Amino acid sequence: MSLNAERSYKMKLRDVENAFKYRRIPYPKRSVELIALLAISCTFFLFMHTNKLNSRLKEMEVKLQPSEFSALGLTGNHISGHDAGGKHDDINTLHGTFQYLKSTGQLENLDPAHLNNTPKAERDFIFYNRLEKTGSQSMTRLIKQLGDRLGFDTYRNIARPWRSITESEEDEKDLVEQLFELGEHAVYVEHANWVNFTQYDSPRPIYINMVRHPIQKVISAYYYQRHPLIFAQSLMRNPNKPMQTKKFFDTNFNDCVRKRVSPHCVFDAHNPFNGDWRRFSLHLCGNSEICTHFNSETTTQIAKMNVEREYAVVGSWEDTNVTLAVLEAYIPRFFTDATKVYYSNTENFTINNVSHDTHLDKDVEEYLKSSFAFEIELYMFIKQRLYKQYIAVHKNEF
Ligand SMILES: *[C@@H]1O[C@H](CO)[C@@H](O)[C@H](O)[C@H]1NC(C)=O
Ligand SMILES: *[C@@H]1O[C@H](CO)[C@@H](O)[C@H](O)[C@H]1NC(C)=O
Ligand SMILES: *[C@@H]1O[C@H](CO)[C@@H](O)[C@H](O)[C@H]1NC(C)=O
Ligand SMILES: *[C@@H]1O[C@H](CO)[C@@H](O)[C@H](O)[C@H]1NC(C)=O
């Protein structure tokens, strides 16, 4: 794609949520046939709903690497799970985190002000560099409804047919300048990596994001990309995208990983395909080369540092109520009544999700647990921080 074409996509950034949401994509004839064909070859997995993954993930005893950064001041040996006596809850739950803070004497001095990065922002503007397959469209819709209610503007970019995994410094600068022009009391949403606005002498925004268990995220991404409608849409955005074989659509995740059918299913650190959008340390780390390393301790540490020092809130739909409460408490100008609005029409916020087979075979699960060890550590760090922020505000309710 030429630089100019790429640029013009960026320039259309003011395209607002409304226009985007209701835009009808005309389906050319070929695409209709294509969809029908794909639908036939893919339907089988649409019937394979199972709730096994959740319980399987709960069973996992994830062994994490030692790490300096920790939301709870824990060493790597402790971050992973049950406390020594095993009497208390798993530490990676709201109550487990509460118990831990209480038993270590941290609870008493827990102060929301120390966990609040919102006052560090130099403008009244949220930059939500949303992660793929974490329910970001649902969050974007919620933000839109809150904007209509509270009187702030919401913007998102036009989807690009193709993008590199990192932006050049020049592109970063363009983005920062354009976001500055959008004005105050507004939210901008894009699949992008963390950007240091200060580096471009631009006022620092309020950063937010959402996460999800890394293994669930990768399974979700796998089937999402193979969903007939989603695939057809991406073909229409990018006509140069190669058509795929029936095998591509029919292979289930376990087989793809076990047989290393395609580079998309190989999660070794050296595999360049790990550079795509299936992991989240990249988004939270930034656009430098070091951030492209998959499951790397260094990338993870930078991401943790950014989360701790820069992000106002990184939430998760796995903890809907905690996330909404933390957003309300720490970013009230944008999220007042988020819980109320969300529960007044939940059906409006469960969108863009594709039903898929969630079964994980034991060998595949083992492979993924080790391949994603640092990603999982980062994820747990984020969850512990979220719980800690919640507890700081609601400690008397436990
Ligand atoms: C952002 O950039 C500024 C200015 O270059 C620098 O001082 C600061 O350390 C950077 N922040 C992060 C988190 O990298
Ligand atoms: C979350 O909040 C809603 C609305 O207040 C409530 O009905 C629901 O039980 C809560 N869920 C959990 C898991 O606490
Ligand atoms: C659900 O979303 C639609 C379109 O976004 C909106 O018109 C409608 O008011 C929403 N429903 C509720 C109950 O807010
Ligand atoms: C997907 O969305 C539908 C409603 O559109 C909802 O019933 C279902 O629970 C959602 N699935 C997940 C996994 O959230």
Side-chain angles (χ1 to χ4, degrees):
M1 183 184 218
S2 80
L3 197 64
N4 277 343
E6 173 76 4
R7 237 355 54 147
S8 72
Y9 272 102
K10 287 268 186 82
M11 294 313 287
K12 287 186 197 156
L13 166 140
R14 281 159 180 275
D15 190 45
V16 292
E17 165 81 351
N18 261 341
F20 196 93
K21 204 155 63 184
Y22 301 121
R23 195 164 55 137
R24 291 253 174 270
I25 302 169
Y27 285 79
K29 196 154 183 267
R30 171 177 166 251
S31 303
V32 175
E33 287 163 8
L34 184 74
I35 291 167
L37 186 79
L38 296 182
I40 292 161
S41 69
C42 298
T43 5
F44 87 97
F45 67 71
L46 298 178
F47 293 104
M48 300 177 74
H49 307 212
T50 134
N51 287 323
K52 273 193 190 142
L53 184 67
N54 265 333
S55 51
R56 281 189 160 247
L57 287 173
K58 285 211 183 85
E59 282 163 26
M60 284 183 187
E61 267 291 338
V62 185
K63 293 273 170 273
L64 296 161
Q65 307 299 316
S67 129
E68 297 145 39
F69 256 92
S70 158
L72 302 180
L74 296 171
T75 63
N77 291 339
H78 296 107
I79 208 172
S80 61
H82 303 273
D83 73 345
K87 279 174 297 202
H88 301 307
D89 297 326
D90 186 329
I91 199 156
N92 294 304
T93 62
L94 180 63
H95 281 92
T97 299
F98 177 80
Q99 287 300 332
Y100 181 81
L101 291 169
K102 196 173 160 193
S103 66
T104 53
Q106 294 183 58
L107 189 64
E108 231 170 284
N109 301 322
L110 202 58
D111 180 352
H114 297 152
L115 304 167
N116 192 357
N117 284 334
T118 307
K120 290 185 187 171
E122 295 156 337
R123 61 182 295 207
D124 194 25
F125 186 92
I126 290 181
F127 180 45
Y128 172 23
N129 64 318
R130 66 187 182 117
L131 282 154
E132 296 81 1
K133 304 325 296 166
T134 59
S136 68
Q137 294 217 20
S138 305
M139 179 52 79
T140 303
R141 268 210 193 176
L142 177 60
I143 289 171
K144 170 79 173 93
Q145 285 205 13
L146 289 169
D148 292 346
R149 198 183 159 96
L150 302 172
F152 60 83
D153 293 323
T154 45
Y155 301 94
R156 59 193 279 183
N157 64 306
I158 287 190
R160 286 183 258 168
W162 178 88
R163 57 181 300 151
S164 60
I165 62 165
T166 57
E167 304 273 353
S168 67
E169 230 174 274
E170 194 186 355
D171 284 341
E172 265 196 357
K173 191 164 182 284
D174 272 2
L175 178 70
V176 166
E177 281 169 4
Q178 291 187 36
L179 295 194
F180 184 72
E181 284 166 21
L182 292 180
E184 296 302 287
H185 208 194
V187 180
Y188 178 72
V189 185
E190 182 178 349
H191 289 305
N193 299 327
W194 181 77
V195 174
N196 184 349
F197 284 62
T198 313
Q199 198 181 316
Y200 301 99
D201 296 321
S202 193
R204 179 193 206 149
I206 300 165
Y207 296 97
I208 64 164
N209 223 320
M210 297 286 280
V211 295
R212 175 185 192 173
H213 193 287
I215 295 177
Q216 282 205 35
K217 182 175 180 302
V218 87
I219 299 172
S220 170
Y222 180 86
Y223 287 113
Y224 184 76
Q225 289 171 313
R226 281 158 183 76
H227 190 277
L229 255 176
I230 304 300
F231 187 83
Q233 276 174 3
S234 73
L235 263 191
M236 268 174 289
R237 272 204 301 271
N238 182 8
N240 297 329
K241 187 184 167 118
M243 189 49 207
Q244 292 288 355
T245 58
K246 187 171 182 299
K247 190 174 159 211
F248 171 86
F249 295 99
D250 286 357
T251 305
N252 79 49
F253 183 71
N254 287 285
D255 286 344
C256 190
V257 172
R258 185 180 299 112
K259 297 178 190 155
R260 301 164 88 87
V261 172
S262 97
H264 294 97
C265 298
V266 178
F267 301 103
D268 303 342
H270 61 267
N271 175 15
F273 272 82
N274 289 317
D276 71 15
W277 48 262
R278 293 166 296 161
R279 70 291 183 43
F280 60 80
S281 56
L282 172 69
H283 270 355
L284 299 170
C285 173
N287 283 311
S288 36
E289 199 276 334
I290 187 76
C291 298
T292 64
H293 297 202
F294 173 64
N295 203 41
S296 129
E297 181 164 23
T298 309
T299 309
T300 299
Q301 291 300 92
I302 297 171
K304 281 187 190 174
M305 188 182 75
N306 285 344
V307 169
E308 185 120 311
R309 294 186 191 160
E310 306 287 328
Y311 279 85
V313 177
V314 182
S316 173
W317 289 117
E318 297 159 350
D319 289 285
T320 300
N321 291 2
V322 171
T323 297
L324 295 174
V326 168
L327 286 166
E328 286 191 33
Y330 290 82
I331 322 176
R333 277 176 62 77
F334 291 88
F335 287 96
T336 293
D337 288 340
T339 305
K340 197 165 109 190
V341 170
Y342 178 81
Y343 280 105
S344 69
N345 53 326
T346 35
E347 67 285 354
N348 259 9
F349 306 118
T350 36
I351 52 167
N352 198 34
N353 63 351
V354 167
S355 311
H356 57 78
D357 176 12
T358 55
H359 167 78
L360 268 189
D361 295 336
K362 205 75 204 157
D363 54 335
V364 172
E365 186 180 306
E366 287 302 320
Y367 167 68
L368 293 177
K369 271 161 64 181
S370 84
S371 300
F372 283 85
F374 283 114
E375 291 277 318
I376 292 168
E377 179 181 320
L378 174 59
Y379 158 80
M380 285 178 172
F381 168 86
I382 288 166
K383 296 293 282 282
Q384 290 174 0
R385 176 176 181 260
L386 178 73
Y387 296 146
K388 195 174 169 181
Q389 284 180 312
Y390 179 86
I391 293 163
V393 177
H394 296 271
K395 58 177 149 182
N396 297 326
E397 291 161 29
F398 283 80

